[in-house]
Amino acid sequence: MSAGQSPIDTFLSEAAEILESLEGHLLELEAAPDDSERIGAVFRNLRTLKGSGEMFGFSALAHFVHRFENAYDAVRAGRARVTPGLIDVSLRARDHIARLIEIGTDPVENARIERAPEARTLVEAIDACLGAPGGAGDSSSPAGRATPGQPAGAGPRRYELTFAPGLDALRNGMRPAMLFDELAMLGQTEIACFTDEVPCLDELDPTACHLAWKIRLTTDRGRAAIEDVFIFADDGAVTIGDAGPAEGTDGGAGAAGVPAATTQMRTIPSASAAPDPDGRGAGAGAARTESVRVQSFRLDQLMDQLGELVIAQARLNRIADQMREPGLTGVAEEIERLVTGLRDATLSIRMLPIGMVFARFRRLVRDLSGELGKDVQLVTEGGQTELDKNVIDSLGEPLVHLIRNSVDHGIETVERRRAAGKPEQATVRIVAEQLGGEVLVRITDDGAGLDAAAIRARAIERGLIAPDADIAPEALYQLIFEPGFSTARTVSNLSGRGVGMDAVRAVIGELRGTVEVHSVPGRGTTVTLRLPLTLAIIDSLLVRVGKGVFVLPLPSVMECVELPAAEAGRESGRSILKIRDQLVPFVEVGHLFGFETDPAREARIVIIAAEGKRVGLVVDDIIGQHQTVIKSLSAYHRDIAGLAGATILGDGSVALILDPPALVKSNPPISLEAAW
């Protein structure tokens, strides 16, 4: 738990991770219903949720998960099997658990939700799945209720337990009453409480546990089920004694007159336990500290401080260059080396595998397939590719829109696929790969492809293009990202309002990324998201225009060429340069931002790539590469088209960061149609 974070916040964070893991295991189990490892993983997820929920007062959560857990306990024990119906109800139950976590610990709300029809319906559905043919069998039969540690047909047995929690047990969230309620669900219980260790009132600490209990339990569930109840009671010592068959059953190995076998359960020492004098527990302690949970805002603070350090280091380098003092130069170089290492280490902390985002889409594709009556599988590749945490946090919504669009609009029905000679099962593929300073995320489907004629007709209808416009397919496909653009003539609960793709471009633009679309009729569509590795510090190219300095993100820069004098002096209004048999439109950066430029200068053109197009930016000079710390613009400058932010240079001056995609879309001098 990180400093300043409450135990409840820690539980909520861990519960979100467990639910994501649970959903993944359930979907994997659907494809391999006999996978014992996945069955065990689902059971452990549920057991952890129930135990943690009990500790922190989520009573409705604990009671519901207990019924859910029983189902997979039966599957794990071989009394039931995994069926499509069980997976369906399990996924619905998982969603219900998420809502129970949102409700919190309010007792009134918990009581209301426990009595809600939805909870009862889910419990009945779970029980119905277990009672299906090949499922749990007759629950009234002893054999049908056998569990690990209890042979089938052995009948009920009597166990004697002692439970003596540690002094810190209550402070650490353990609730003995909940454990006893769970024991009562296993069978008949008789509980005696020992108060011998309770101090006098003047010395009593109300947060400490001075009690111990002795429990007599009659159950046919076996020792393993009892041990499961106390699996999270790490602060206490539990002993379980087998006192033999219950009265009225036949004898056996544990018959009356045979001494009861007593075992001591292994318990995990609490955080307050004394250190191991022999050091034999060092390995376990080291394993528990291999990772530390840190709140994201602390990483943001660290990144901000690192950015200031990079700026200060650039200023130091500039001063050292001006003074030409060997001693100062040596110190500046050493500090630069240390700052570079610190920068790389800090950025790596913020990098997370993009597979964390991919995992949640398997459920989305499954649900959409069922709702639309289509057979679609999701395939992901490159999940180990890493991206900045803030980029990953913002990437979920755009990918949801793109996947929904592929399944709803791109993928044909089974009948149409069969008629077209395609496999009945369609495929949506998400592939991520790192390319230089960018990460490319491709969403590909093998559906019908985009209908260029319908897109063109809709664009003409809305006045986005002229009826006689000659526009390339790639540029035409970009129109689907216009606000409110949709070729659907009817509105459904999934699509037709034209807001999804607009949101995709807006979010990707805020991340300083670009969207490219490629489609082949009858074969499918590929949408490529180009994203920066990080949003904090980027590699860039510094250019000078007049008296100002601008920054271009290096991944967008393709090449730099001289501007021919004939082109520089042309006043025809058509600014197009031919580079290696390709027409590239270009624009004067100085004219865009009101800088005066010398017509007689030796100008250069920086060719950038944006949204699948090549555009030239005319500048006075190219200064060189630079590590740029991105600073947000003020509220007065935030809406200026073509600017993505600002940075502070080594001499203390401010340089504006250009936004290549925005420049392409906002510049009247750039005649893209003429270039194509």
Side-chain angles (χ1 to χ4, degrees):
M1 182 174 66
S2 59
Q5 189 174 24
S6 70
I8 292 283
D9 291 337
T10 301
F11 164 71
L12 294 176
S13 176
E14 292 178 347
E17 295 177 4
I18 293 171
L19 284 178
E20 185 173 341
S21 172
L22 175 62
E23 182 174 280
H25 290 316
L26 288 172
L27 293 173
E28 291 169 358
L29 196 56
E30 184 175 36
D34 296 325
D35 189 338
S36 59
E37 183 177 344
R38 291 284 172 264
I39 294 171
V42 170
F43 181 80
R44 288 191 296 273
N45 286 150
L46 296 173
R47 168 63 67 169
T48 303
L49 274 174
K50 183 181 74 172
S52 299
E54 285 178 338
M55 286 185 180
F56 295 105
F58 289 77
S59 58
L61 168 70
H63 292 157
F64 178 78
V65 174
H66 178 74
R67 299 295 297 272
F68 191 3
E69 175 194 33
N70 283 346
Y72 282 89
D73 186 26
V75 172
R76 189 180 61 155
R79 305 194 313 276
R81 59 185 177 85
V82 175
T83 63
L86 179 59
I87 295 296
D88 284 335
V89 72
S90 296
L91 290 170
R92 287 163 48 204
R94 178 261 175 216
D95 296 339
H96 184 65
I97 292 171
R99 289 189 288 272
L100 291 174
I101 292 174
E102 291 178 2
I103 289 172
T105 59
D106 180 75
V108 176
E109 192 65 17
N110 270 259
R112 184 192 67 79
I113 202 69
E114 279 189 88
R115 294 191 298 269
E118 181 182 6
R120 292 199 303 270
T121 300
L122 284 172
V123 169
E124 291 170 0
I126 292 173
D127 292 342
C129 289
L130 295 181
D138 183 3
S139 60
S140 64
S141 168
R145 296 192 303 267
T147 59
Q150 176 74 16
R157 299 182 71 82
R158 187 170 61 251
Y159 296 88
E160 293 185 354
L161 296 77
T162 59
F163 178 43
L167 290 175
D168 294 333
L170 301 180
R171 285 191 287 263
N172 291 336
M174 191 181 68
R175 298 294 179 263
M178 291 184 177
L179 300 180
F180 301 153
D181 289 343
E182 193 167 345
L183 282 177
M185 295 180 185
L186 300 181
Q188 182 180 354
T189 59
E190 301 175 27
I191 303 175
C193 180
F194 296 95
T195 59
D196 300 348
E197 300 298 325
V198 177
C200 61
L201 187 60
D202 293 340
E203 301 175 0
L204 179 65
D205 179 359
T207 66
C209 182
H210 300 281
L211 302 177
W213 290 267
K214 185 172 182 179
I215 306 108
R216 178 173 294 173
L217 170 66
T218 302
T219 179
D220 57 4
R221 296 295 304 277
R223 182 187 302 276
I226 302 172
E227 291 175 349
D228 282 346
V229 170
F230 293 96
I231 192 171
F232 289 103
D234 298 332
D235 298 283
V238 181
T239 61
I240 304 175
D242 187 345
E247 294 180 4
T249 64
D250 55 356
V258 178
T262 301
T263 60
Q264 176 75 36
M265 290 183 62
R266 181 176 62 87
T267 59
I268 303 174
S270 66
S272 60
D276 182 6
D278 300 327
R280 289 176 293 188
R288 288 196 300 271
T289 57
E290 285 179 358
S291 62
V292 178
R293 188 182 298 273
V294 179
Q295 291 169 296
S296 59
F297 82 90
R298 297 190 184 277
L299 289 180
D300 294 336
Q301 290 177 334
L302 178 61
M303 202 69 236
D304 290 341
Q305 295 299 316
L306 177 63
E308 297 298 328
L309 183 59
V310 170
I311 294 172
Q313 176 257 317
R315 294 180 61 187
L316 177 61
N317 282 353
R318 184 179 181 88
I319 294 172
D321 290 341
Q322 292 174 345
M323 296 184 64
R324 297 184 181 278
E325 168 62 38
L328 180 60
T329 301
V331 172
E333 292 175 351
E334 179 66 15
I335 291 179
E336 181 178 11
R337 182 184 66 81
L338 294 173
V339 170
T340 300
L342 180 60
R343 180 203 65 206
D344 294 342
T346 304
L347 289 176
S348 68
I349 294 174
R350 290 167 55 103
M351 304 297 279
L352 296 173
I354 197 171
M356 297 176 62
V357 181
F358 291 172
R360 71 186 69 165
F361 299 131
R362 287 181 294 178
R363 173 77 181 279
L364 174 66
V365 170
R366 180 187 186 276
D367 292 348
L368 287 175
S369 300
E371 187 172 350
L372 297 172
K374 299 178 180 180
D375 186 2
V376 187
Q377 66 169 339
L378 177 67
V379 177
T380 61
E381 299 175 15
Q384 72 280 1
T385 305
E386 292 187 332
L387 262 175
D388 187 285
K389 175 190 176 299
N390 291 340
V391 178
I392 285 182
D393 289 344
S394 303
L395 198 55
E397 181 183 351
L399 287 177
V400 166
H401 285 303
L402 291 173
I403 292 172
R404 289 169 69 99
N405 209 57
S406 291
V407 177
D408 189 15
H409 295 298
I411 301 299
E412 313 96 326
T413 61
V414 173
E415 293 76 14
R416 290 186 178 181
R417 291 182 65 85
R418 190 184 301 120
K422 293 183 177 182
E424 293 185 2
Q425 185 178 58
T427 300
V428 174
R429 190 180 303 272
I430 308 179
V431 180
E433 64 172 329
Q434 184 176 344
L435 190 64
E438 292 182 311
V439 168
L440 273 59
V441 181
R442 295 187 180 90
I443 301 91
T444 304
D445 66 69
D446 61 351
L450 295 178
D451 188 342
I455 294 174
R456 182 183 182 87
R458 184 62 172 161
I460 293 173
E461 180 184 326
R462 294 191 52 190
L464 298 176
I465 59 175
D468 58 347
D470 183 14
I471 185 170
E474 286 74 12
L476 182 66
Y477 296 151
Q478 287 292 326
L479 296 177
I480 66 177
F481 298 103
E482 291 296 319
F485 190 94
S486 176
T487 58
R489 295 301 176 182
T490 59
V491 176
S492 69
N493 62 332
L494 290 178
S495 60
R497 302 185 183 276
V499 296
M501 302 305 280
D502 175 33
V504 170
R505 186 167 66 177
V507 173
I508 299 302
E510 291 175 359
L511 296 175
R512 299 198 317 278
T514 59
V515 186
E516 302 170 4
V517 182
H518 177 72
S519 184
V520 178
R523 295 178 57 185
T525 303
T526 298
V527 178
T528 302
L529 308 180
R530 290 181 173 269
L531 301 163
L533 278 174
T534 177
L535 298 178
I537 299 176
I538 61 171
D539 290 321
S540 60
L541 184 70
L542 291 183
V543 298
R544 183 177 58 81
V545 180
K547 295 182 179 180
V549 176
F550 290 88
V551 178
L552 280 167
L554 201 57
S556 300
V557 177
M558 304 301 293
E559 59 181 317
C560 302
V561 298
E562 296 287 343
L563 177 64
E567 295 291 343
R570 182 192 295 188
E571 296 182 357
S572 65
R574 186 177 291 269
S575 302
I576 301 176
L577 191 65
K578 189 172 184 180
I579 301 178
R580 288 185 289 279
D581 297 329
Q582 285 189 340
L583 295 177
V584 179
F586 65 88
V587 63
E588 289 268 4
V589 176
H591 293 170
L592 292 176
F593 296 101
F595 283 82
E596 294 184 2
T597 57
D598 183 4
R601 75 197 189 285
E602 295 182 0
R604 293 172 173 80
I605 296 183
V606 180
I607 308 298
I608 62 172
E611 298 187 352
K613 310 173 185 65
R614 285 158 56 91
V615 179
L617 302 178
V618 181
V619 301
D620 293 347
D621 194 13
I622 296 173
I623 300 173
Q625 287 188 229
H626 184 259
Q627 284 284 332
T628 298
V629 178
I630 300 175
K631 299 289 185 181
S632 300
L633 294 172
S634 70
Y636 301 102
H637 305 89
R638 198 166 293 157
D639 296 329
I640 298 178
L643 296 182
T647 189
I648 301 175
L649 302 178
D651 60 359
S653 62
V654 176
L656 296 175
I657 302 172
L658 298 180
D659 184 2
L663 289 176
V664 171
K665 291 181 289 187
S666 64
N667 284 312
I670 298 181
S671 178
L672 294 178
E673 293 183 13
W676 300 113

